Amino acid sequence: MTLDSHSYQIGTTIPLYTLPLWQHTLVVSSSDLAGNQVSKTVHFQTVASIDSLKALVTRIVDSLQDKLANNELKGFVNEVKAQSGKRISGEASKYLLRNAQYLDTQYSLTQLRFAQGIRFKL
């Protein structure tokens, strides 16, 4: 079995939150004693949402939920950075910051599109 060209044993658990946000390819191949072979390829995409970020936070640190509940991404990012290596592992911080940055970028793009739309309507 391969995921994005990395080999894994069948039955290996791969937490999706550890994958980069974007497109992925999973290939599972098998053969029998008669030499028959079959391969199945699945393409999928990992994305972040407020709900997935909340689930990741619940899994790692419950205290950040208040900031997410109020959509305070900047405060969330500041707290994660402050707690990185302390109450939050460096690895967990990496995933939380990556997902928050993605959401902040998406929010900024939405605001820009909205503002551009208003300018054109005036």
Side-chain angles (χ1 to χ4, degrees):
M1 173 176 86
T2 62
L3 175 61
D4 299 334
S5 302
H6 299 283
S7 294
Y8 294 92
Q9 294 283 344
I10 297 292
T12 301
T13 300
I14 303 167
L16 293 179
Y17 69 84
T18 65
L19 298 177
L21 298 174
W22 200 241
Q23 300 289 332
H24 301 282
T25 303
L26 175 68
V27 179
V28 179
S29 302
S30 183
S31 62
D32 62 18
L33 294 176
N36 298 308
Q37 297 182 355
V38 66
S39 182
K40 180 68 177 173
T41 301
V42 176
H43 300 280
F44 65 97
Q45 181 176 349
T46 53
V47 298
S49 68
I50 288 292
D51 288 338
S52 70
L53 194 53
K54 285 179 183 179
L56 186 56
V57 169
T58 297
R59 192 180 175 105
I60 298 169
V61 181
D62 287 338
S63 68
L64 294 172
Q65 285 288 7
D66 290 341
K67 287 185 176 54
L68 291 178
N70 294 316
N71 291 325
E72 297 174 15
L73 285 176
K74 300 249 187 265
F76 174 86
V77 167
N78 291 338
E79 186 170 339
V80 170
K81 285 179 179 178
Q83 294 301 325
S84 183
K86 299 170 189 164
R87 288 184 29 195
I88 305 173
S89 73
E91 182 180 16
S93 295
K94 178 177 78 173
Y95 299 130
L96 292 169
L97 292 171
R98 176 201 62 195
N99 290 9
Q101 181 179 17
Y102 172 85
L103 290 172
D104 190 45
T105 300
Q106 295 305 308
Y107 180 74
S108 295
L109 289 174
T110 300
Q111 280 188 320
L112 178 61
R113 288 183 191 124
F114 180 75
Q116 288 173 337
I118 289 175
R119 280 192 209 120
F120 290 125
K121 290 179 182 179
L122 291 178

